Amino acid sequence: MTTGTEELSNVETAKKLGLLPEEFEKIKQILGRTPNFTELSIYSVMWSEHCSYKNSIVWLKTLPKDGPHMLAKAGEENAGLVAIGDGLACAFKIESHNHPSAIEPYQGAATGVGGINRDIFTMGARPIAQLNSLRFGNPDLARTKWLMKGVVKGIGNYGNAFGIPTVGGEVFFDESFNVNILVNAMSVGIVKEGETASAISYGAGNPVYIVGSATGKDGIHGATFASGDLHEDSHEDLPSVQVGDPFMEKLLLEASLEVIKTGAVIGMQDMGAAGIICSTSEMSAKGKHGMNIYLEKAPTRQANMKGWEILLSESQERMLVVVEKGREAEVEAIFEKWDLNCQQIGEVTEGDRLRFTMNGELLADVPAESLVLGGGAPIYNREYSEPAYIAKNKAFKIDSVKQPSDLKAVMMHLTTHPNIASKKWVYTQYDSMVGTINMTTNAPADAAIVDVRNTKKALALTVDCNSRYVYADAEAGCAIAVAEAARNIVCAGGHPSAVTNCLNFGNPYNPEVYWQFVHAIKGMSAACLRFETPVTGGNVSFYNQSKNEQGEVPVFPTPTIGMVGIIPDKKKRMSLNFKQEGDVIFMLGSSRDDINSSEYLYSFHGVKNSPAPFMDLEEEYALQQVIKQLIKDGLIESAHDVSDGGLFITLLESGMPNGLGFRIETDEEIRKDAFLFGESQSRVVVSVSAEKLDAFVEMMADTDVDFVNLGEVTADDIIIDDQAYGSIIEYKEAYDNAIGKMMEA
């Protein structure tokens, strides 16, 4: 049997669409015939890495998925779902929009925000907070500044118009991201347990609706585009970048939550990557049914769109909804109230065939199961081998680095470095207060804290990954990313609950890139198991690289960790800022002669090859338990983890909010540069009031965690080993304005 009047495809057509010759043969076997162009396009997008995870699923399955709060495991729904108590659940997920943002930064970033929010509210959860994790190239390059301005404006304009606060995130710069930037967006929502919707389709005869925006030609083959290299002609792929409309999304949000509450919805799914074909196939495969879809019924923005264009379009703000037969009028009335397109485009059928017609002509007839992850989509075990540069990293010796004679020059270098300096230029373009649930605006903490209304609870949210650590040692670096995320939540007064991830790597067919991926997964698994933070799902983004005359240039491997934690009593949340002059400053955890992969070593000394900083999971776990207890008992005034920039930057960031300085002494047994600027893990700086000092020391003495009295909080002076290094005001001005000046230069 053939479908329609299209010419049959061949292996060359398959290759142009991103399919391997062996995949073309497999499609022929599945169908029992040669596919036509529409069918081949269907398999091209559904078997792309972006949709099928064909090169990653083998290792993703090894990640821990069980935890005490889990309500939906990885892969079961559009987003992760964890119980937070009081009959409520938290839905959350992080995804990438890297390639589109590198081509058209404004729309690429904006539609990334829109897409991740739809994943949350199609589950029936109301989004309450957004975070993002961004990677850019050399900040001195004009292109980097153009990309950064576009991305930040796209995130800000979409999120602000949609009405959901952006409460946290991270920005990192490195030359490896000069061409291929990374834009990872996270959304978090709240829903009552038992009131969620599922991305499923079943019940022969149930009507299938397309809801929301009209379908246009934007984003066609976008999933395939996201699974390829960026190159000098990539600007020609601009039609693969979607266009967003936040006001439409807001209407869609309210209508979706209202229609879910009726109980008339069988299933609902966002039309993201791969559009109609993705939603119809994934929902059908999950429910073990088929669909008849009449493409001419889909509202379109452009005249004379071809059937395959409608089928593969990735136009934004659209959803597929399967409704209980007989309740059509009830559902249609709600979408009409919100002034949204709501058009029945088909019905559920017995069996598992997806049949797509256009004006009575059958364009495609494919089994749903053959298209999806866990069904017929191919699964590969890729070869991997240790990158050659790892030997150079291991060969690094700290004695090869001369200690600086001018410590203040180092301090100012780090304070103003774009990887450390305030991201004020970025976050002031975001509305962080809409909805009035952000609890860290005037009380900064290591994690974003958002109120869970009508309860005692709050959520602690963070995104973390130091790409340089993962490049240095993928396993250790990824374990550090999980540990830091958990540490940030604990320092904010929370208990880590679960993880979503966005795994950004280069070409999986490159054995050295795949080695980075495999070892990152191993590090993530070990750390998530130790902190009891199961992985609820996320996103894999391969092919983050560019091509030049030397060949492929992959980005630094960046497995971004999004973590949610629960603060049982919001009154006991913890901030990072010093509270008053005279409070005693302690460091919990051990200092080491370790400057590995620190910003100090990498950018001040220009040493690009060294191992990851020290980190021991058991040491880290013990430290976090102690921090939890100190906060619970009310024995500390502030808590701030030691991370990028080392102890000096931690102290600086603790002092700046209230304009307070610090007087400390270093450890004579440790190199001064390592003590102040090294980034060895499992360290937290806390401040203690005079009244609680004895109780604090008594409690710490009963633990196995090292702690040392560093000194005290001052009015504004910064004094180290009795030497003055200026006032906190001087550093704050430099810290706050560094990126703004960089963007204006």
Side-chain angles (χ1 to χ4, degrees), residues 211-485:
V211 174
S213 291
T215 299
K217 293 186 179 184
D218 48 321
I220 293 172
H221 278 291
T224 307
F225 164 63
S227 305
D229 298 328
L230 290 182
H231 47 80
E232 60 185 7
D233 297 322
S234 287
H235 64 277
E236 295 176 4
D237 290 319
L238 194 58
S240 296
V241 180
Q242 308 93 336
V243 178
D245 180 350
F247 301 102
M248 177 70 78
E249 178 118 330
K250 178 64 175 172
L251 296 176
L252 203 54
L253 160 67
E254 300 300 339
S256 298
L257 296 183
E258 185 174 339
V259 79
I260 289 169
K261 286 180 179 176
T262 66
V265 173
I266 300 293
M268 178 183 291
Q269 184 165 332
D270 163 45
M271 284 187 197
I276 291 175
I277 184 55
C278 184
S279 308
T280 54
S281 60
E282 290 182 350
M283 291 175 73
S284 296
K286 186 175 180 179
K288 302 188 184 307
H289 277 67
M291 286 184 187
N292 288 335
I293 300 294
Y294 314 108
L295 294 170
E296 75 278 1
K297 292 187 176 184
T300 56
R301 289 205 294 270
Q302 287 139 302
N304 303 315
M305 285 185 68
K306 297 181 175 65
W308 67 268
E309 292 176 324
I310 297 170
L311 185 56
L312 271 62
S313 166
E314 296 184 6
S315 292
Q316 298 292 285
E317 292 84 40
R318 299 179 304 154
M319 299 186 318
L320 198 75
V321 185
V322 178
V323 174
E324 184 183 334
K325 190 172 176 62
R327 302 185 70 178
E328 294 91 339
E330 185 179 356
V331 168
E332 290 170 8
I334 290 171
F335 286 110
E336 184 178 351
K337 182 183 88 171
W338 290 100
D339 198 25
L340 291 166
N341 285 320
C342 175
Q343 181 64 49
Q344 185 179 345
I345 60 167
E347 65 272 338
V348 179
T349 60
E350 296 287 359
D352 79 332
R353 306 296 297 197
L354 297 175
R355 295 182 178 88
F356 301 96
T357 62
M358 184 81 172
N359 298 317
E361 181 183 355
L362 183 61
L363 299 185
D365 183 351
V366 296
E369 188 72 12
S370 72
L371 299 173
V372 301
L373 170 69
I379 296 174
Y380 297 116
N381 281 287
R382 295 288 167 214
E383 293 182 3
Y384 56 93
S385 57
E386 185 176 281
Y389 71 81
I390 294 292
K392 294 180 184 177
N393 293 353
K394 291 176 178 176
F396 170 76
K397 300 288 188 243
I398 192 172
D399 296 342
S400 65
V401 177
K402 186 179 177 183
Q403 291 214 55
S405 56
D406 187 351
L407 280 180
K408 188 163 184 180
V410 180
M411 293 170 183
M412 271 300 173
H413 169 83
L414 293 174
T415 301
T416 58
H417 194 284
N419 283 344
I420 290 174
S422 168
K423 306 308 184 290
K424 184 178 178 180
W425 184 90
V426 175
Y427 67 70
T428 52
Q429 297 185 55
Y430 304 152
D431 190 337
S432 63
M433 287 303 293
V434 62
T436 63
I437 64 161
N438 189 348
M439 304 181 78
T440 45
T441 304
N442 300 313
D446 275 5
I449 302 173
V450 295
D451 188 19
V452 181
R453 287 179 172 162
N454 303 316
T455 76
K456 292 173 57 180
K457 296 182 174 67
L459 295 179
L461 314 170
T462 187
V463 286
D464 289 285
C465 180
N466 188 309
S467 306
R468 188 166 56 243
Y469 297 172
V470 187
Y471 176 78
D473 182 330
E475 190 165 342
C478 194
I480 288 173
V482 176
E484 185 177 357

